[in-house]
Amino acid sequence: MATIFTKIINREIPATIVYETDNVLAFKDINPAAPIHILVVPKKEIPTVNDITPEDREIIGDMYLAIGKIAKDLGIAEEGYRVITNCNEYGGQEVFHLHFHLLGGKKLGPLVS
């Protein structure tokens, strides 16, 4: 069954897209945890970090290049931002399609208190 992110990639579900390449799609999170909260996803369905293969090197590299470009475009590159990915249940992963959260727009506190 396709994930919600695959449905967004396929334009079956609307999203506010901020960046797109052949390998990557980035869009605004509908429940933002910071003033800027962008989800960066590979167009290839990769369930978790554990499922990345050597063949996925280009895709993962493209995801990080996208993060840097988006941060610059949104004006948060200089002040700073956070990139988070969650893996499996204990890591807090809710959608099993690899994704990075790009958070910024304010000073961010500690991850775990």
Side-chain angles (χ1 to χ4, degrees), residues 46-54 56 60 85-89 93 96 98:
I46 303 170
T48 74
V49 169
N50 296 333
D51 299 299
I52 297 169
T53 67
D56 297 324
I60 302 305
T85 191
N86 303 315
C87 185
N88 284 326
E89 180 185 356
Q93 187 172 5
F96 286 83
L98 180 69

Short mmCIF file of all heavy atoms in Angstrom, two decimals, residues 46-54 56 60 85-89 93 96 98:
data_model
loop_
_atom_site.label_atom_id
_atom_site.label_comp_id
_atom_site.label_asym_id
_atom_site.label_seq_id
_atom_site.Cartn_x
_atom_site.Cartn_y
_atom_site.Cartn_z
N ILE A 46 11.57 4.28 0.12
CA ILE A 46 12.55 3.63 0.98
C ILE A 46 11.93 3.70 2.37
O ILE A 46 11.77 4.78 2.92
CB ILE A 46 13.91 4.36 0.95
CG1 ILE A 46 14.45 4.44 -0.48
CG2 ILE A 46 14.91 3.68 1.89
CD1 ILE A 46 15.67 5.36 -0.64
N PRO A 47 11.54 2.57 2.97
CA PRO A 47 10.78 2.63 4.22
C PRO A 47 11.50 3.31 5.39
O PRO A 47 10.90 4.14 6.08
CB PRO A 47 10.49 1.16 4.53
CG PRO A 47 10.55 0.48 3.20
CD PRO A 47 11.61 1.21 2.43
N THR A 48 12.76 2.95 5.65
CA THR A 48 13.48 3.50 6.80
C THR A 48 14.94 3.72 6.43
O THR A 48 15.41 3.26 5.38
CB THR A 48 13.44 2.55 8.02
OG1 THR A 48 14.33 1.45 7.79
CG2 THR A 48 12.04 2.03 8.32
N VAL A 49 15.67 4.36 7.33
CA VAL A 49 17.12 4.51 7.14
C VAL A 49 17.77 3.14 6.99
O VAL A 49 18.71 2.97 6.21
CB VAL A 49 17.74 5.29 8.33
CG1 VAL A 49 19.25 5.24 8.29
CG2 VAL A 49 17.25 6.73 8.34
N ASN A 50 17.25 2.16 7.70
CA ASN A 50 17.81 0.81 7.63
C ASN A 50 17.70 0.18 6.25
O ASN A 50 18.38 -0.78 5.95
CB ASN A 50 17.09 -0.12 8.63
CG ASN A 50 17.32 0.30 10.06
OD1 ASN A 50 18.31 0.92 10.40
ND2 ASN A 50 16.37 -0.03 10.91
N ASP A 51 16.82 0.72 5.42
CA ASP A 51 16.56 0.14 4.11
C ASP A 51 17.34 0.82 2.98
O ASP A 51 17.18 0.45 1.81
CB ASP A 51 15.06 0.20 3.80
CG ASP A 51 14.27 -0.60 4.82
OD1 ASP A 51 14.49 -1.83 4.93
OD2 ASP A 51 13.43 0.00 5.52
N ILE A 52 18.17 1.80 3.31
CA ILE A 52 18.99 2.46 2.29
C ILE A 52 20.03 1.47 1.80
O ILE A 52 20.67 0.78 2.60
CB ILE A 52 19.68 3.72 2.87
CG1 ILE A 52 18.63 4.75 3.28
CG2 ILE A 52 20.66 4.32 1.85
CD1 ILE A 52 19.20 5.90 4.10
N THR A 53 20.19 1.39 0.49
CA THR A 53 21.17 0.48 -0.11
C THR A 53 22.27 1.29 -0.80
O THR A 53 22.10 2.50 -1.03
CB THR A 53 20.50 -0.43 -1.16
OG1 THR A 53 20.08 0.38 -2.26
CG2 THR A 53 19.32 -1.19 -0.57
N PRO A 54 23.38 0.64 -1.15
CA PRO A 54 24.42 1.37 -1.89
C PRO A 54 23.89 2.02 -3.18
O PRO A 54 24.37 3.08 -3.57
CB PRO A 54 25.45 0.28 -2.19
CG PRO A 54 25.30 -0.70 -1.07
CD PRO A 54 23.81 -0.72 -0.80
N ASP A 56 21.27 3.59 -3.49
CA ASP A 56 20.53 4.81 -3.13
C ASP A 56 21.44 6.00 -2.84
O ASP A 56 20.95 7.07 -2.47
CB ASP A 56 19.65 4.54 -1.90
CG ASP A 56 18.59 3.48 -2.16
OD1 ASP A 56 18.06 3.43 -3.29
OD2 ASP A 56 18.30 2.69 -1.24
N ILE A 60 20.15 9.84 -1.78
CA ILE A 60 20.42 10.41 -0.45
C ILE A 60 21.24 11.69 -0.60
O ILE A 60 20.96 12.69 0.07
CB ILE A 60 21.13 9.39 0.46
CG1 ILE A 60 20.27 8.11 0.61
CG2 ILE A 60 21.45 10.01 1.82
CD1 ILE A 60 18.84 8.33 1.09
N THR A 85 15.72 12.89 11.05
CA THR A 85 15.01 11.74 10.49
C THR A 85 14.78 10.75 11.62
O THR A 85 15.62 10.60 12.51
CB THR A 85 15.77 11.11 9.30
OG1 THR A 85 14.91 10.18 8.66
CG2 THR A 85 17.04 10.42 9.72
N ASN A 86 13.65 10.11 11.59
CA ASN A 86 13.28 9.14 12.61
C ASN A 86 13.31 7.75 11.98
O ASN A 86 13.00 7.60 10.81
CB ASN A 86 11.87 9.43 13.14
CG ASN A 86 11.76 10.84 13.70
OD1 ASN A 86 12.61 11.30 14.43
ND2 ASN A 86 10.69 11.53 13.34
N CYS A 87 13.68 6.75 12.79
CA CYS A 87 13.75 5.39 12.27
C CYS A 87 13.03 4.43 13.20
O CYS A 87 13.41 4.27 14.37
CB CYS A 87 15.21 4.97 12.09
SG CYS A 87 15.37 3.34 11.31
N ASN A 88 11.97 3.85 12.67
CA ASN A 88 11.18 2.83 13.35
C ASN A 88 10.47 3.36 14.59
O ASN A 88 10.53 4.55 14.90
CB ASN A 88 12.01 1.57 13.63
CG ASN A 88 12.21 0.75 12.37
OD1 ASN A 88 11.33 0.69 11.51
ND2 ASN A 88 13.37 0.12 12.23
N GLU A 89 9.79 2.48 15.29
CA GLU A 89 8.88 2.86 16.38
C GLU A 89 9.58 3.65 17.49
O GLU A 89 9.12 4.73 17.86
CB GLU A 89 8.23 1.60 16.97
CG GLU A 89 7.28 1.90 18.10
CD GLU A 89 6.73 0.65 18.77
OE1 GLU A 89 7.03 -0.47 18.32
OE2 GLU A 89 5.99 0.81 19.75
N GLN A 93 9.25 7.20 14.19
CA GLN A 93 8.82 7.23 12.80
C GLN A 93 7.34 6.90 12.69
O GLN A 93 6.88 5.90 13.24
CB GLN A 93 9.64 6.25 11.95
CG GLN A 93 9.37 6.36 10.47
CD GLN A 93 10.32 5.52 9.62
OE1 GLN A 93 11.14 4.76 10.14
NE2 GLN A 93 10.19 5.66 8.32
N PHE A 96 6.25 5.34 7.07
CA PHE A 96 7.36 4.46 6.69
C PHE A 96 7.73 4.66 5.23
O PHE A 96 7.61 3.78 4.38
CB PHE A 96 7.04 3.01 7.08
CG PHE A 96 7.16 2.84 8.57
CD1 PHE A 96 6.09 3.17 9.40
CD2 PHE A 96 8.34 2.44 9.14
CE1 PHE A 96 6.22 3.07 10.78
CE2 PHE A 96 8.48 2.34 10.53
CZ PHE A 96 7.40 2.65 11.34
N LEU A 98 11.10 6.98 3.98
CA LEU A 98 12.20 7.81 4.45
C LEU A 98 11.91 9.28 4.21
O LEU A 98 11.42 9.66 3.13
CB LEU A 98 13.49 7.42 3.71
CG LEU A 98 14.75 8.20 4.08
CD1 LEU A 98 15.19 7.87 5.50
CD2 LEU A 98 15.85 7.91 3.09
#
